[in-house]
Amino acid sequence: MSRILEGMGASAGRALGPVRRIDWDIPLVPHRTIRPEEVDGEVERFGEARARALEFVSRLQEETSRRIGSFEGKVFESQAMMIEDPELIEGTLSYVRDNFVCAERAFDWQVLEMRIRIQESAHAMLVDRLADLHDVRVRVLSHLLGRSDPSDLVTEAEEPSILVGSELPPSIAARLDPQRVLGVVLSGGSRGAHGVILARALGIPVVVAAGAAIQAIEESDRLLVDGRTGEIRVNPSSQEVEGYHRAVAQASHRRERLQSLAGRPTETSDGVHTVVQANLDLPHEAADAVRLGADGVGLFRSEFLVIGRREIPGEEDQLQAYRAVLEAFPEREVTLRTFDIGGDKFPLFLSLPPEDNPYLGWRAIRICLDMPELFDNQLRAAVRAVGENGNLRLLIPFVSTVEEMRRTRESLAAVYGSLGLTDSGIRIPVGVMVETPAAVEILDLLAPYVDFVSLGTNDLTQYVLAADRGNAKLGKLYDPLHPALLRMYKRVVKESARHELDLSVCGELAGDPVGVAALLGLGYRKFSVSIVSLPEIRELIRNVSVKELRRVMRKLDRAESGDEVRRSVHAHLSDRGVLSEPAPVGLSKD
Ligand code: PEP
Ligand code: MG
């Protein structure tokens, strides 16, 4: 019998393989006191170690930019800034000078102080900085202690394996070889941590926040990991392994079939036309989305431009990123979501407000409207990226008032003016993300200010059910098929039709076969899903009948729980022979 552990899915895809532990130890730091005449030598040693660490980090930035993409390379900028942080340097030097301790001891004390300060601020985003600090700490200490760079350890792995550890330092993530690293399981970490962003860009499945239970995983164990659901099976049974291999075979069949169908519309078995678009986290993902036949981009998250940055991203940087995606989809629409920061994603250029409830706090459009210097840059880059024939749409997250949409329109109008486009006829469609209960309730009032609607089931679920989407303990309660949500989804279909607004779904529910079937039955026809779910969802849609699903959903009008809904829709799909094994996604990991 396999043991099942639960974490949070942070990079979709499934993997099966042996374990390799990456407990990236902090080297033992000797407490060595020095004589006053040795101070200068220690100061010099520290300077050298910093210089070498800095050189290493900029080499990694270069390597990563070449191998993955320039935006991914910028992840290392925040580490370079840490190495050059005046407080870190001065603090270390004063321990050397005042306490007469060796450079490694002084540096480690100073890092510990910084670490405590970051932890005390108790802001979720800072979890991401801790992994960077850990990376910097180990690297500088290794140089001071004359050890080889620890990131070489992982690149030397022989057998393809699943890495298990507490964090994934960016310097390790950037050098991972997806052929040899099948997956990553972390006791801590978050979706937004730099190392996790890099692993995602490399197509490696990752589970984060799996907790202390993973300490019991040993190198002799085998794991079956699902980077979408966050499930970890330790020593899977032969049946589970067979199921996995079957799914791998099915997925590769499906890929071949879909490749021959790419460019063909996704229609249901009863001829209803649907649109299946891609959710992108990073610009380079556009190429895969095109290859898998996405009908454009329904959600291009722009946070990669700001997370971990000390400065507001420049207009030119943004222009380049937006153009890259528009160029990948010359004939299709690309929906750029304006910065959804706040919550657990705070860039370094924002002074951190101490918030008790960051998800109910200063977030997304609230921040953008308060910071025109941030928002205007993004709007200007978006308008310029459209150029002659780009088909860009702007999606506004976390809207809860009409005022927010009205002010967004005003900001955009001012940008047209500043670019001399007032009379040019260029008008970017603007949409509202329906992800707060308020937006559902006032959709009719928002309608005059918007051209389209995108349903964000991830946040809507957490706000309607008062259940934190990131809290593994609430996994059962956090259910996007809860009857309260189904009622809201229906109202959104009705209101959008009444006001002739284009409607799509970009939350994870659209990437879940049962979810997309339920949504089809409720009247949704346009979906935006993560790249790894594209083949499975397109295939599912081709094999279901809207007429039948409508009937199934009507019968569930008085369903008492999300479970009941899920079971019924699942049973319908199984009866039709539509549901396959959950597909392993990402690179094939057999
Ligand atoms: C959502 O909330 O449903 C959504 C798609 O946005 P995100 O997951 O980026 O919050
Ligand atoms: Mg959201």
Side-chain angles (χ1 to χ4, degrees):
M1 257 290 273
S2 64
R3 206 156 25 104
I4 302 181
L5 305 175
E6 303 232 333
M8 271 170 61
S11 172
R14 293 210 303 166
L16 172 71
V19 170
R20 175 132 202 273
R21 297 221 50 128
I22 47 155
D23 297 311
W24 206 29
D25 294 339
I26 305 285
L28 261 184
V29 179
H31 184 92
R32 183 165 59 84
T33 48
I34 54 170
R35 292 187 305 275
E37 60 273 24
E38 288 176 306
V39 165
D40 288 348
E42 288 305 288
V43 170
E44 200 175 312
R45 267 193 344 108
F46 178 53
E48 274 166 17
R50 276 198 321 109
R52 286 182 56 198
L54 204 57
E55 195 189 301
F56 189 89
V57 165
S58 44
R59 212 171 45 238
L60 264 184
Q61 172 161 3
E62 228 181 86
E63 241 176 73
T64 310
S65 303
R66 227 175 316 113
R67 190 166 158 230
I68 314 180
S70 58
F71 296 99
E72 290 78 4
K74 286 192 174 161
V75 154
F76 291 99
E77 275 178 7
S78 50
Q79 290 202 12
M81 282 170 190
M82 275 181 182
I83 298 172
E84 295 192 289
D85 188 306
E87 197 185 319
L88 187 74
I89 301 173
E90 281 315 309
T92 303
L93 294 183
S94 49
Y95 277 132
V96 173
R97 292 191 181 115
D98 304 339
N99 296 56
F100 298 107
V101 290
C102 62
E104 46 272 36
R105 167 51 62 222
F107 171 73
D108 209 32
W109 274 346
Q110 187 55 33
V111 170
L112 282 173
E113 271 178 29
M114 272 178 90
R115 197 185 159 82
I116 289 167
R117 261 200 312 280
I118 292 177
Q119 277 166 336
E120 275 174 353
S121 75
H123 202 292
M125 178 281 298
L126 291 173
V127 172
D128 305 349
R129 286 198 74 195
L130 284 177
D132 284 316
L133 186 63
H134 183 84
D135 214 352
V136 165
R137 180 182 182 190
V138 176
R139 176 144 301 105
V140 174
L141 283 177
S142 300
H143 290 318
L144 280 168
L145 296 165
R147 294 176 25 156
S148 60
D149 196 278
S151 61
D152 293 338
L153 293 177
V154 172
T155 33
E156 282 161 11
E158 295 136 25
E159 200 190 357
S161 47
I162 295 175
L163 302 185
V164 177
S166 54
E167 299 277 354
L168 181 63
S171 65
I172 286 192
R175 304 178 116 195
L176 296 182
D177 172 357
Q179 299 307 319
R180 293 197 294 175
V181 175
L182 307 174
V184 176
V185 172
L186 303 175
S187 58
S190 69
R191 247 188 89 80
H194 285 151
V196 176
I197 291 176
L198 291 173
R200 200 156 54 230
L202 288 167
I204 297 172
V206 181
V207 173
V208 297
I214 71 155
Q215 294 315 340
I217 298 178
E218 292 173 11
E219 293 220 325
S220 55
D221 289 329
R222 278 176 80 72
L223 300 184
L224 179 55
V225 172
D226 188 330
R228 179 161 56 182
T229 60
E231 188 182 270
I232 306 152
R233 282 177 192 264
V234 185
N235 297 324
S237 67
S238 52
Q239 250 176 341
E240 287 164 343
V241 170
E242 263 168 41
Y244 168 81
H245 285 303
R246 246 195 331 272
V248 171
Q250 279 177 359
S252 101
H253 256 104
R254 189 183 294 146
R255 249 194 301 269
E256 280 163 25
R257 232 184 1 251
L258 277 170
Q259 231 125 58
S260 67
L261 292 172
R264 296 247 308 270
T266 311
E267 278 183 5
T268 61
S269 64
D270 53 347
V272 175
H273 181 76
T274 68
V275 174
V276 186
Q277 302 183 316
N279 288 352
L280 305 185
D281 285 342
L282 293 164
H284 87 270
E285 295 170 350
D288 279 336
V290 172
R291 190 172 48 79
L292 294 169
D295 302 315
V297 178
L299 172 65
F300 177 17
R301 296 182 167 101
S302 54
E303 293 78 62
F304 71 93
L305 286 158
V306 289
I307 301 301
R309 303 287 158 81
R310 256 183 218 276
E311 279 158 20
I312 287 179
E315 195 178 313
E316 296 304 319
D317 257 10
Q318 298 190 50
L319 181 63
Q320 210 186 322
Y322 305 158
R323 278 210 179 126
V325 176
L326 280 167
E327 277 162 17
F329 285 99
E331 308 287 326
R332 311 275 186 184
E333 67 191 19
V334 170
T335 310
L336 171 69
R337 182 175 71 183
T338 56
F339 297 130
D340 186 359
I341 45 183
D344 66 348
K345 293 173 283 197
F346 264 95
L348 303 177
F349 58 75
L350 290 182
S351 45
L352 289 175
E355 293 187 315
D356 287 339
N357 295 302
Y359 276 112
L360 302 179
W362 199 44
R363 179 180 167 186
I365 190 61
R366 300 175 185 175
I367 295 181
C368 287
L369 289 172
D370 283 351
M371 293 186 67
E373 66 281 24
L374 171 71
F375 201 29
D376 289 355
N377 262 1
Q378 184 167 43
L379 296 180
R380 280 176 67 89
V383 173
R384 286 177 59 202
V386 173
E388 297 284 288
N389 42 22
N391 199 351
L392 189 78
R393 314 194 301 171
L394 274 181
L395 179 59
I396 314 300
F398 200 51
V399 170
S400 58
T401 68
V402 173
E403 168 88 2
E404 285 160 348
M405 281 314 304
R406 198 171 44 70
R407 287 185 55 203
T408 298
R409 286 277 187 197
E410 285 166 9
S411 304
L412 193 57
V415 165
Y416 290 135
S418 73
L419 291 170
L421 295 172
T422 312
D423 302 315
S424 69
I426 290 185
R427 290 292 171 269
I428 304 184
V430 179
V432 59
M433 205 152 162
V434 170
E435 56 180 344
T436 65
V440 177
E441 287 292 328
I442 61 167
L443 196 47
D444 60 322
L445 303 179
L446 291 167
Y449 299 88
V450 303
D451 304 302
F452 67 97
V453 172
S454 183
L455 181 74
T457 57
N458 307 344
D459 274 313
L460 189 61
T461 302
Q462 82 166 342
Y463 293 126
V464 168
L465 301 178
D468 184 342
R469 63 193 262 190
N471 186 336
K473 279 208 190 83
L474 301 180
K476 262 190 133 32
L477 186 59
Y478 178 89
D479 185 353
L481 289 176
H482 186 289
L485 283 145
L486 291 191
R487 290 176 186 195
M488 288 188 160
Y489 302 160
K490 268 200 259 183
R491 285 184 54 199
V492 172
V493 170
K494 216 159 138 189
E495 281 305 317
S496 303
R498 199 198 312 270
H499 296 279
E500 296 180 1
L501 297 171
D502 178 74
L503 170 64
S504 57
V505 189
C506 65
E508 301 287 329
L509 188 63
D512 165 5
V514 170
V516 85
L519 290 165
L520 277 166
L522 295 177
Y524 288 82
R525 300 291 176 261
K526 193 169 176 182
F527 309 94
S528 189
V529 305
S530 62
I531 300 172
V532 291
S533 305
L534 264 168
E536 190 180 9
I537 296 303
R538 292 187 70 203
E539 170 120 319
L540 180 117
I541 293 175
R542 287 203 176 88
N543 288 303
V544 294
S545 140
V546 160
K547 213 162 129 202
E548 287 180 8
L549 287 172
R550 217 184 277 135
R551 211 174 312 128
V552 171
M553 291 312 286
R554 219 176 289 133
K555 277 200 198 137
L556 289 167
D557 248 358
R558 304 220 29 99
E560 291 180 358
S561 70
D563 255 2
E564 188 181 335
V565 176
R566 186 169 294 280
R567 269 200 311 274
S568 301
V569 178
H570 192 281
H572 171 80
L573 297 177
S574 298
D575 286 352
R576 294 287 175 281
V578 180
L579 267 192
S580 48
E581 286 278 340
V585 275
L587 301 172
S588 65
K589 305 281 179 198
D590 39 345

